Coordinates of all heavy atoms in Angstrom, one line a residue:
M742 N 0.8 -1.2 0.0 CA 0.0 0.0 0.0 C 0.9 1.2 0.0 O 1.8 1.4 0.8 CB -0.9 0.0 1.2 CG -1.9 1.1 1.3 SD -3.0 0.9 2.7 CE -3.9 2.4 2.6
R743 N 0.5 2.2 -0.9 CA 1.3 3.4 -1.0 C 1.0 4.4 0.2 O -0.1 4.3 0.7 CB 0.9 4.2 -2.2 CG 1.3 3.5 -3.5 CD 1.1 4.3 -4.7 NE -0.2 5.0 -4.7 CZ -0.8 5.5 -5.7 NH1 -0.2 5.5 -6.9 NH2 -2.0 6.1 -5.6
P744 N 2.0 5.2 0.6 CA 1.7 6.2 1.7 C 0.7 7.2 1.2 O 0.6 7.5 0.0 CB 3.0 6.8 1.9 CG 3.9 6.5 0.8 CD 3.3 5.2 0.1
F745 N -0.1 7.8 2.1 CA -1.1 8.7 1.7 C -0.4 10.0 1.2 O 0.5 10.5 1.7 CB -1.9 9.1 2.9 CG -3.1 10.0 2.6 CD1 -4.2 9.6 2.0 CD2 -2.9 11.4 2.9 CE1 -5.2 10.4 1.7 CE2 -4.0 12.3 2.6 CZ -5.1 11.8 2.0
S746 N -1.0 10.6 0.1 CA -0.5 11.8 -0.5 C -1.5 12.9 -0.3 O -2.6 12.8 -0.9 CB -0.2 11.6 -2.0 OG 0.1 12.9 -2.6
Y747 N -1.1 13.9 0.4 CA -2.0 15.1 0.6 C -2.1 15.9 -0.6 O -3.0 16.8 -0.7 CB -1.5 15.9 1.8 CG -1.8 15.3 3.1 CD1 -0.8 14.6 3.8 CD2 -3.0 15.6 3.8 CE1 -1.1 14.0 5.0 CE2 -3.3 15.0 5.0 CZ -2.3 14.3 5.7 OH -2.6 13.7 6.9
N748 N -1.3 15.7 -1.6 CA -1.3 16.5 -2.9 C -2.2 15.9 -4.0 O -2.3 16.5 -5.0 CB 0.2 16.6 -3.4 CG 1.0 17.5 -2.4 OD1 0.5 18.4 -1.9 ND2 2.2 17.1 -2.2
T749 N -2.8 14.8 -3.7 CA -3.7 14.1 -4.7 C -5.1 14.8 -4.7 O -5.5 15.2 -3.6 CB -3.8 12.6 -4.3 OG1 -2.5 12.1 -4.3 CG2 -4.7 11.9 -5.3
A750 N -5.7 14.9 -5.8 CA -7.1 15.5 -5.9 C -8.0 14.6 -5.0 O -7.8 13.4 -4.8 CB -7.6 15.5 -7.3
A751 N -9.0 15.2 -4.4 CA -9.9 14.5 -3.5 C -11.4 15.0 -3.8 O -11.6 16.1 -4.2 CB -9.5 14.8 -2.1
E752 N -12.3 14.2 -3.4 CA -13.7 14.5 -3.5 C -14.3 14.3 -2.1 O -14.1 13.3 -1.4 CB -14.4 13.6 -4.4 CG -13.9 13.7 -5.9 CD -14.4 12.6 -6.8 OE1 -14.0 11.4 -6.6 OE2 -15.3 12.9 -7.6
L753 N -15.2 15.3 -1.7 CA -15.9 15.2 -0.4 C -17.3 15.0 -0.7 O -17.9 15.8 -1.4 CB -15.6 16.5 0.4 CG -16.1 16.5 1.8 CD1 -15.4 15.4 2.7 CD2 -15.8 17.9 2.4
F754 N -17.9 14.0 -0.1 CA -19.3 13.6 -0.3 C -20.1 13.8 0.9 O -19.6 13.5 2.0 CB -19.4 12.1 -0.8 CG -18.8 11.8 -2.1 CD1 -17.5 11.5 -2.2 CD2 -19.6 11.9 -3.2 CE1 -16.9 11.2 -3.4 CE2 -19.0 11.6 -4.5 CZ -17.7 11.3 -4.6
P755 N -21.3 14.4 0.8 CA -22.1 14.6 2.0 C -22.7 13.3 2.5 O -22.7 12.3 1.8 CB -23.2 15.6 1.5 CG -23.3 15.3 0.1 CD -21.9 14.9 -0.4
A756 N -23.2 13.4 3.7 CA -23.9 12.2 4.3 C -25.1 11.9 3.5 O -25.7 12.8 2.8 CB -24.3 12.5 5.7
A757 N -25.5 10.7 3.5 CA -26.8 10.3 2.8 C -27.9 11.1 3.4 O -28.0 11.3 4.6 CB -27.0 8.8 2.9
I758 N -28.9 11.6 2.6 CA -30.0 12.3 3.1 C -30.9 11.3 3.8 O -31.4 10.4 3.2 CB -30.7 13.1 2.0 CG1 -29.8 14.1 1.4 CG2 -32.0 13.7 2.5 CD1 -30.3 14.8 0.2
R759 N -31.2 11.6 5.1 CA -32.1 10.8 5.9 C -33.4 11.6 6.1 O -33.3 12.7 6.7 CB -31.5 10.4 7.2 CG -30.2 9.6 7.0 CD -29.7 9.2 8.4 NE -28.3 8.7 8.2 CZ -27.3 9.3 8.7 NH1 -27.3 10.4 9.4 NH2 -26.1 8.8 8.5
K760 N -34.5 11.0 5.7 CA -35.8 11.7 5.8 C -35.7 13.1 5.3 O -35.3 13.4 4.2 CB -36.3 11.6 7.2 CG -36.5 10.1 7.7 CD -37.1 10.1 9.0 CE -37.2 8.6 9.4 NZ -37.7 8.4 10.8
K761 N -36.1 14.1 6.1 CA -36.0 15.5 5.7 C -34.8 16.2 6.1 O -34.6 17.4 5.8 CB -37.3 16.2 6.2 CG -38.5 15.7 5.6 CD -39.7 16.5 6.0 CE -41.0 16.0 5.4 NZ -42.1 16.8 5.8
K762 N -33.9 15.6 6.9 CA -32.7 16.2 7.4 C -31.7 16.2 6.2 O -31.3 15.1 5.8 CB -32.2 15.5 8.6 CG -31.0 16.1 9.2 CD -30.6 15.4 10.5 CE -29.4 16.0 11.1 NZ -28.9 15.3 12.3
R763 N -31.2 17.3 5.9 CA -30.3 17.4 4.8 C -28.8 17.5 5.3 O -28.6 17.9 6.4 CB -30.6 18.6 3.9 CG -31.9 18.5 3.3 CD -32.0 19.2 2.0 NE -33.2 18.9 1.3 CZ -33.4 18.1 0.3 NH1 -32.3 17.5 -0.2 NH2 -34.5 17.9 -0.2
A764 N -27.9 17.2 4.5 CA -26.5 17.1 4.9 C -25.9 18.4 5.2 O -25.0 18.5 6.0 CB -25.7 16.4 3.8
G765 N -26.4 19.5 4.6 CA -25.8 20.8 4.9 C -24.7 21.3 3.9 O -24.3 22.4 4.0
F766 N -24.2 20.4 3.1 CA -23.3 20.8 2.0 C -23.5 19.9 0.9 O -24.0 18.8 1.0 CB -21.9 20.8 2.6 CG -21.2 19.4 2.7 CD1 -20.3 19.0 1.7 CD2 -21.5 18.6 3.8 CE1 -19.7 17.7 1.8 CE2 -20.9 17.4 3.9 CZ -20.0 16.9 2.9
A767 N -23.0 20.3 -0.3 CA -23.1 19.5 -1.5 C -21.7 18.9 -1.8 O -20.7 19.3 -1.2 CB -23.5 20.4 -2.7
Y768 N -21.7 17.9 -2.7 CA -20.5 17.3 -3.2 C -19.5 18.4 -3.6 O -19.9 19.4 -4.2 CB -20.8 16.4 -4.4 CG -19.6 16.1 -5.2 CD1 -18.8 15.0 -4.9 CD2 -19.3 16.9 -6.3 CE1 -17.7 14.7 -5.7 CE2 -18.2 16.6 -7.1 CZ -17.4 15.5 -6.8 OH -16.3 15.2 -7.6
R769 N -18.2 18.2 -3.2 CA -17.2 19.2 -3.6 C -16.0 18.4 -4.0 O -15.6 17.4 -3.4 CB -16.8 20.1 -2.5 CG -17.9 21.2 -2.2 CD -17.4 22.3 -1.3 NE -16.3 23.0 -1.9 CZ -15.8 24.1 -1.3 NH1 -16.3 24.6 -0.2 NH2 -14.8 24.8 -1.9
R770 N -15.3 18.9 -5.1 CA -14.0 18.4 -5.5 C -12.9 19.4 -5.2 O -13.1 20.6 -5.3 CB -14.1 18.2 -7.0 CG -12.8 17.5 -7.6 CD -13.0 17.0 -9.0 NE -11.8 16.5 -9.5 CZ -11.3 15.3 -9.3 NH1 -11.9 14.5 -8.4 NH2 -10.1 15.0 -9.8
F771 N -11.8 18.9 -4.7 CA -10.7 19.7 -4.3 C -9.4 19.4 -5.1 O -9.2 18.2 -5.4 CB -10.4 19.5 -2.8 CG -11.5 20.0 -1.9 CD1 -12.6 19.2 -1.6 CD2 -11.5 21.3 -1.4 CE1 -13.6 19.6 -0.8 CE2 -12.5 21.7 -0.5 CZ -13.6 20.9 -0.3
G772 N -8.6 20.3 -5.3 CA -7.3 20.1 -6.0 C -6.4 19.2 -5.2 O -5.6 18.5 -5.8
T773 N -6.4 19.3 -3.9 CA -5.6 18.5 -3.1 C -6.4 17.9 -1.9 O -7.4 18.5 -1.4 CB -4.4 19.2 -2.5 OG1 -4.9 20.2 -1.5 CG2 -3.5 19.9 -3.6
A774 N -6.0 16.7 -1.5 CA -6.6 16.1 -0.3 C -6.5 17.0 0.9 O -7.3 17.1 1.8 CB -6.0 14.7 -0.1
A775 N -5.3 17.7 1.0 CA -5.1 18.6 2.2 C -6.2 19.6 2.3 O -6.7 19.9 3.4 CB -3.7 19.2 2.1
E776 N -6.5 20.3 1.2 CA -7.6 21.3 1.1 C -8.9 20.7 1.5 O -9.7 21.3 2.3 CB -7.7 21.9 -0.2 CG -6.5 22.7 -0.6 CD -6.5 23.1 -2.1 OE1 -7.0 22.3 -3.0 OE2 -6.0 24.2 -2.4
A777 N -9.2 19.5 1.1 CA -10.4 18.8 1.4 C -10.5 18.5 2.9 O -11.6 18.7 3.5 CB -10.6 17.6 0.6
V778 N -9.4 18.0 3.4 CA -9.4 17.6 4.8 C -9.6 18.9 5.7 O -10.4 18.9 6.6 CB -8.1 16.9 5.2 CG1 -7.9 16.8 6.7 CG2 -8.1 15.5 4.5
R779 N -8.9 20.0 5.4 CA -9.0 21.2 6.1 C -10.4 21.8 6.0 O -11.0 22.2 7.0 CB -8.0 22.3 5.7 CG -8.1 23.5 6.5 CD -7.0 24.5 6.4 NE -6.9 25.0 5.0 CZ -6.0 25.9 4.6 NH1 -5.0 26.2 5.4 NH2 -6.0 26.3 3.4
F780 N -11.0 21.7 4.9 CA -12.4 22.2 4.7 C -13.3 21.4 5.6 O -14.2 21.9 6.3 CB -12.8 22.1 3.2 CG -14.3 22.5 3.0 CD1 -14.7 23.8 2.9 CD2 -15.2 21.5 2.9 CE1 -16.0 24.1 2.8 CE2 -16.6 21.8 2.8 CZ -17.0 23.1 2.7
A781 N -13.2 20.1 5.5 CA -14.1 19.2 6.3 C -14.0 19.5 7.8 O -15.0 19.5 8.5 CB -13.8 17.7 6.0
I782 N -12.8 19.6 8.3 CA -12.7 19.8 9.7 C -12.9 21.2 10.2 O -13.6 21.4 11.2 CB -11.2 19.4 10.2 CG1 -11.0 17.9 9.9 CG2 -11.0 19.7 11.6 CD1 -11.9 16.9 10.6
E783 N -12.5 22.2 9.4 CA -12.6 23.6 9.9 C -13.8 24.3 9.4 O -14.3 25.3 10.1 CB -11.3 24.4 9.4 CG -10.1 23.9 10.1 CD -8.8 24.7 9.7 OE1 -9.0 25.7 8.9 OE2 -7.7 24.3 10.1
E784 N -14.5 23.9 8.4 CA -15.6 24.6 7.8 C -16.9 23.9 8.0 O -18.0 24.6 8.1 CB -15.4 24.9 6.3 CG -14.1 25.6 6.0 CD -14.0 27.0 6.6 OE1 -15.1 27.7 6.8 OE2 -12.9 27.5 6.9
L785 N -17.0 22.6 8.0 CA -18.2 21.9 8.1 C -18.7 21.9 9.5 O -18.0 21.6 10.4 CB -18.1 20.5 7.6 CG -18.0 20.3 6.1 CD1 -17.9 18.8 5.8 CD2 -19.1 20.9 5.3
P786 N -20.0 22.1 9.7 CA -20.6 21.8 11.0 C -20.5 20.3 11.4 O -20.5 19.5 10.5 CB -22.1 22.2 10.9 CG -22.2 23.0 9.6 CD -21.0 22.6 8.8
A787 N -20.4 20.0 12.7 CA -20.2 18.6 13.1 C -21.2 17.7 12.5 O -20.9 16.6 12.1 CB -20.1 18.6 14.6
D788 N -22.5 18.2 12.5 CA -23.5 17.3 12.0 C -23.4 17.0 10.5 O -23.8 16.0 10.0 CB -24.9 17.8 12.3 CG -25.3 19.2 11.7 OD1 -24.3 19.9 11.4 OD2 -26.4 19.5 11.5
S789 N -22.8 17.9 9.7 CA -22.6 17.7 8.3 C -21.4 16.7 8.1 O -21.4 16.0 7.2 CB -22.3 19.0 7.6 OG -23.4 19.8 7.6
L790 N -20.4 16.8 9.0 CA -19.2 15.9 8.9 C -19.6 14.5 9.2 O -19.1 13.6 8.6 CB -18.1 16.4 9.8 CG -16.8 15.7 9.7 CD1 -16.2 15.6 8.3 CD2 -15.8 16.3 10.6
N791 N -20.5 14.3 10.1 CA -21.0 13.0 10.5 C -21.7 12.3 9.4 O -22.7 12.8 8.9 CB -21.9 13.1 11.7 CG -22.3 11.8 12.3 OD1 -21.6 10.8 12.1 ND2 -23.4 11.7 13.0
G792 N -21.2 11.3 8.9 CA -21.7 10.6 7.7 C -21.1 10.9 6.4 O -21.3 10.2 5.4
A793 N -20.4 12.0 6.3 CA -19.7 12.4 5.1 C -18.5 11.5 4.9 O -18.0 10.9 5.8 CB -19.3 13.9 5.2
Y794 N -18.0 11.5 3.7 CA -16.7 10.8 3.5 C -15.9 11.4 2.4 O -16.4 12.2 1.5 CB -17.0 9.3 3.1 CG -17.6 9.0 1.8 CD1 -16.8 8.8 0.6 CD2 -19.0 9.0 1.6 CE1 -17.4 8.5 -0.6 CE2 -19.6 8.7 0.4 CZ -18.8 8.5 -0.7 OH -19.4 8.2 -1.9
L795 N -14.6 11.2 2.5 CA -13.6 11.8 1.6 C -13.1 10.6 0.7 O -12.7 9.6 1.2 CB -12.5 12.4 2.4 CG -11.3 12.9 1.7 CD1 -11.7 14.2 1.0 CD2 -10.1 13.2 2.6
Q796 N -13.1 10.9 -0.6 CA -12.6 9.9 -1.5 C -11.3 10.4 -2.1 O -11.3 11.5 -2.7 CB -13.6 9.6 -2.6 CG -13.1 8.6 -3.7 CD -13.6 7.2 -3.3 OE1 -14.6 7.0 -2.7 NE2 -12.8 6.3 -3.7
V797 N -10.2 9.7 -1.9 CA -8.9 10.1 -2.5 C -8.4 8.8 -3.3 O -8.0 7.8 -2.7 CB -7.8 10.4 -1.4 CG1 -6.5 10.9 -2.0 CG2 -8.4 11.5 -0.5
E798 N -8.3 9.0 -4.6 CA -8.1 7.8 -5.5 C -9.0 6.7 -5.1 O -10.2 6.9 -5.1 CB -6.6 7.5 -5.4 CG -5.7 8.5 -6.0 CD -4.2 8.2 -6.1 OE1 -3.8 7.4 -5.2 OE2 -3.6 8.7 -7.0
E799 N -8.5 5.5 -4.7 CA -9.4 4.4 -4.3 C -9.7 4.3 -2.8 O -10.4 3.5 -2.4 CB -8.7 3.1 -4.8 CG -8.5 3.0 -6.3 CD -9.8 3.1 -7.1 OE1 -10.8 2.5 -6.7 OE2 -9.8 3.9 -8.1
A800 N -9.1 5.2 -2.1 CA -9.2 5.2 -0.6 C -10.4 6.1 -0.2 O -10.6 7.1 -0.8 CB -8.0 5.7 0.1
R801 N -11.2 5.6 0.8 CA -12.3 6.3 1.3 C -12.1 6.5 2.8 O -11.8 5.6 3.5 CB -13.6 5.5 1.0 CG -14.9 6.2 1.3 CD -16.0 5.4 1.0 NE -16.3 5.5 -0.5 CZ -17.4 5.1 -1.1 NH1 -18.4 4.6 -0.4 NH2 -17.5 5.2 -2.4
F802 N -12.4 7.7 3.3 CA -12.2 8.1 4.7 C -13.5 8.6 5.3 O -14.1 9.5 4.7 CB -11.1 9.1 4.9 CG -9.8 8.7 4.3 CD1 -9.5 8.9 3.0 CD2 -8.9 8.1 5.1 CE1 -8.2 8.5 2.5 CE2 -7.6 7.7 4.6 CZ -7.3 7.9 3.3
D803 N -13.9 8.0 6.4 CA -15.1 8.5 7.1 C -14.7 9.7 8.1 O -13.5 10.1 8.0 CB -15.8 7.4 7.9 CG -14.9 6.8 9.0 OD1 -13.8 7.3 9.3 OD2 -15.3 5.8 9.6
Q804 N -15.6 10.1 8.9 CA -15.3 11.2 9.8 C -14.1 11.0 10.6 O -13.2 11.9 10.7 CB -16.5 11.4 10.7 CG -16.3 12.6 11.7 CD -17.5 12.7 12.6 OE1 -18.5 12.0 12.6 NE2 -17.5 13.7 13.5
S805 N -13.9 9.9 11.2 CA -12.7 9.6 12.1 C -11.5 9.6 11.2 O -10.4 10.0 11.6 CB -12.9 8.4 12.9 OG -13.0 7.2 12.2
G806 N -11.6 9.0 10.0 CA -10.4 9.0 9.1 C -10.0 10.4 8.7 O -8.8 10.7 8.6
I807 N -11.0 11.2 8.4 CA -10.7 12.6 8.0 C -10.0 13.3 9.1 O -9.0 14.0 9.0 CB -12.0 13.3 7.6 CG1 -12.5 12.7 6.3 CG2 -11.7 14.8 7.3 CD1 -13.9 13.2 5.9
R808 N -10.5 13.1 10.3 CA -9.9 13.8 11.5 C -8.5 13.3 11.8 O -7.6 14.1 12.1 CB -10.8 13.5 12.8 CG -10.4 14.3 14.0 CD -11.5 14.3 15.1 NE -12.8 14.7 14.6 CZ -13.2 15.9 14.4 NH1 -12.4 16.9 14.6 NH2 -14.5 16.2 14.0
S809 N -8.3 12.0 11.6 CA -6.9 11.5 11.7 C -5.9 12.1 10.7 O -4.8 12.4 11.0 CB -6.9 10.0 11.5 OG -7.6 9.3 12.6
L810 N -6.4 12.3 9.5 CA -5.5 12.9 8.5 C -5.2 14.4 8.9 O -4.1 14.8 8.7 CB -6.2 12.9 7.1 CG -6.4 11.5 6.4 CD1 -7.3 11.6 5.2 CD2 -5.0 11.0 6.1
Y811 N -6.2 15.1 9.4 CA -6.0 16.5 9.8 C -5.0 16.6 11.0 O -4.2 17.5 11.0 CB -7.4 17.0 10.2 CG -7.3 18.5 10.6 CD1 -7.3 19.5 9.7 CD2 -7.4 18.9 12.0 CE1 -7.3 20.8 10.0 CE2 -7.4 20.2 12.4 CZ -7.4 21.2 11.4 OH -7.3 22.5 11.8
E812 N -5.1 15.6 11.9 CA -4.3 15.7 13.1 C -2.9 15.1 12.9 O -2.0 15.2 13.8 CB -5.0 15.0 14.3 CG -6.3 15.8 14.7 CD -7.1 15.0 15.7 OE1 -6.8 13.9 16.0 OE2 -8.1 15.6 16.2
S813 N -2.7 14.4 11.8 CA -1.4 13.8 11.5 C -0.3 14.8 11.4 O -0.4 16.0 11.0 CB -1.5 13.1 10.1 OG -0.2 12.7 9.7
D814 N 0.9 14.4 11.9 CA 2.1 15.3 11.8 C 2.4 15.6 10.3 O 3.1 16.6 10.0 CB 3.3 14.6 12.4 CG 3.2 14.5 13.9 OD1 2.4 15.3 14.5 OD2 3.8 13.7 14.5
A815 N 2.0 14.7 9.4 CA 2.3 14.9 8.0 C 1.3 15.9 7.3 O 1.6 16.3 6.1 CB 2.1 13.6 7.2
F816 N 0.3 16.4 8.0 CA -0.7 17.3 7.4 C 0.1 18.6 7.0 O 0.7 19.3 7.8 CB -1.8 17.6 8.4 CG -2.9 18.5 7.8 CD1 -3.8 18.0 6.8 CD2 -3.0 19.9 8.1 CE1 -4.7 18.8 6.3 CE2 -4.0 20.7 7.6 CZ -4.8 20.1 6.7
P817 N 0.1 19.0 5.7 CA 1.0 20.1 5.2 C 0.5 21.5 5.4 O 1.2 22.4 5.2 CB 1.1 19.7 3.7 CG -0.2 19.1 3.4 CD -0.6 18.3 4.6
L818 N -0.8 21.7 5.7 CA -1.3 23.1 5.8 C -1.4 23.6 7.2 O -1.5 22.8 8.1 CB -2.7 23.1 5.2 CG -2.9 22.6 3.7 CD1 -4.3 22.6 3.3 CD2 -2.0 23.5 2.8
P819 N -1.4 24.9 7.4 CA -1.6 25.4 8.7 C -3.0 25.1 9.2 O -3.9 25.1 8.5 CB -1.4 26.9 8.5 CG -1.4 27.2 7.1 CD -1.2 25.9 6.4
R820 N -3.1 24.8 10.5 CA -4.3 24.5 11.1 C -4.9 25.7 11.8 O -4.1 26.5 12.3 CB -4.2 23.3 12.1 CG -3.8 22.0 11.5 CD -3.6 21.0 12.6 NE -3.1 19.7 12.1 CZ -1.8 19.4 11.9 NH1 -0.9 20.3 12.1 NH2 -1.5 18.3 11.4
R821 N -6.2 25.8 11.8 CA -6.8 26.9 12.6 C -6.5 26.7 14.0 O -6.6 25.6 14.6 CB -8.3 26.8 12.3 CG -9.1 27.9 13.1 CD -10.6 27.8 12.9 NE -10.9 28.1 11.6 CZ -12.1 27.8 11.0 NH1 -13.0 27.2 11.7 NH2 -12.3 28.2 9.8
P822 N -6.1 27.8 14.7 CA -5.8 27.7 16.1 C -7.0 27.3 16.9 O -8.1 27.7 16.6 CB -5.3 29.1 16.5 CG -5.1 29.8 15.3 CD -5.8 29.1 14.2
R823 N -6.8 26.4 17.9 CA -7.9 26.0 18.7 C -8.2 27.2 19.7 O -7.3 27.8 20.2 CB -7.6 24.8 19.5 CG -7.5 23.6 18.6 CD -7.2 22.3 19.4 NE -7.1 21.2 18.5 CZ -7.0 20.0 18.9 NH1 -7.0 19.7 20.1 NH2 -6.9 19.0 18.0
P824 N -9.5 27.3 20.1 CA -9.9 28.4 21.0 C -9.2 28.1 22.4 O -9.1 27.0 22.8 CB -11.4 28.3 21.2 CG -11.8 27.4 20.1 CD -10.7 26.6 19.6
A825 N -8.7 29.1 23.0 CA -8.0 29.0 24.3 C -9.1 28.5 25.3 O -10.2 29.0 25.4 CB -7.4 30.3 24.7
A826 N -8.7 27.6 26.2 CA -9.6 27.2 27.3 C -9.7 28.3 28.3 O -8.7 28.9 28.6 CB -9.0 25.9 27.9
T827 N -10.9 28.5 28.8 CA -11.1 29.5 29.8 C -10.9 28.8 31.2 O -11.2 27.7 31.4 CB -12.5 30.1 29.8 OG1 -13.4 29.1 29.9 CG2 -12.7 30.9 28.4
D828 N -10.3 29.6 32.1 CA -10.1 29.1 33.4 C -11.2 29.6 34.3 O -11.1 30.8 34.7 CB -8.7 29.5 33.9 CG -8.3 28.9 35.2 OD1 -9.2 28.2 35.9 OD2 -7.2 29.1 35.7
D829 N -12.2 28.8 34.6 CA -13.3 29.2 35.4 C -12.9 29.7 36.8 O -13.5 30.5 37.4 CB -14.4 28.1 35.5 CG -15.0 27.9 34.2 OD1 -15.0 28.8 33.4 OD2 -15.6 26.7 34.0
K830 N -11.8 29.0 37.4 CA -11.4 29.4 38.7 C -10.9 30.8 38.8 O -11.1 31.5 39.7 CB -10.3 28.4 39.2 CG -10.9 27.0 39.4 CD -9.8 26.1 39.8 CE -10.3 24.6 39.9 NZ -9.3 23.7 40.1
A831 N -10.2 31.2 37.7 CA -9.7 32.6 37.7 C -10.8 33.6 37.6 O -10.7 34.7 38.2 CB -8.7 32.8 36.5
D832 N -11.9 33.3 36.9 CA -13.0 34.1 36.8 C -13.7 34.3 38.2 O -14.3 35.3 38.4 CB -14.0 33.6 35.8 CG -13.5 33.7 34.4 OD1 -12.5 34.4 34.1 OD2 -14.0 32.9 33.5
A833 N -13.7 33.3 39.0 CA -14.4 33.3 40.2 C -13.7 34.1 41.3 O -14.2 34.5 42.3 CB -14.6 31.8 40.7
A834 N -12.4 34.3 41.1 CA -11.5 35.0 42.1 C -11.8 36.5 42.2 O -12.3 37.1 41.4 CB -10.1 34.7 41.8

């Protein structure tokens, strides 16, 4: 099996439509898998990411697979900074 390439074109598919609840985004094609992964994690609401999948060549990644690609040390793009945790004890003082 070849190592994963973040530079390969990728397709992001929405979750299957269940009853009247819609996925929240339409199919999108990206020039690189890195762009698709970043979009999925940073731009999609959690409920839209749940059930969506990323197709890169013959490989398919579900929500946890997409998250693993984003959190990998090999991820080539800058990540959005995480919000700083608030310290409730400091607020109470």
Side-chain angles (χ1 to χ4, degrees):
M742 184 174 176
R743 292 186 315 195
F745 183 80
S746 172
Y747 284 95
N748 293 320
T749 303
E752 298 169 289
L753 187 61
F754 294 88
I758 296 171
R759 295 183 195 115
K760 297 183 182 178
K761 293 183 181 181
K762 185 177 179 183
R763 299 210 172 257
F766 79 99
Y768 162 88
R769 285 192 64 175
R770 182 167 175 79
F771 294 84
T773 68
E776 293 169 327
V778 168
R779 182 167 65 181
F780 174 82
I782 298 299
E783 295 182 2
E784 304 296 330
L785 288 182
D788 62 337
S789 292
L790 183 56
N791 186 22
Y794 69 92
L795 178 71
Q796 180 90 31
V797 183
E798 293 182 330
E799 299 300 316
R801 189 177 281 195
F802 300 88
D803 63 5
Q804 178 182 2
S805 64
I807 295 168
R808 192 167 304 284
S809 293
L810 291 170
Y811 182 78
E812 293 171 355
S813 169
D814 290 338
F816 185 73
L818 301 177
R820 293 174 185 88
R821 177 182 291 164
R823 292 184 180 185
T827 58
D828 186 355
D829 293 336
K830 293 177 186 172
D832 293 339

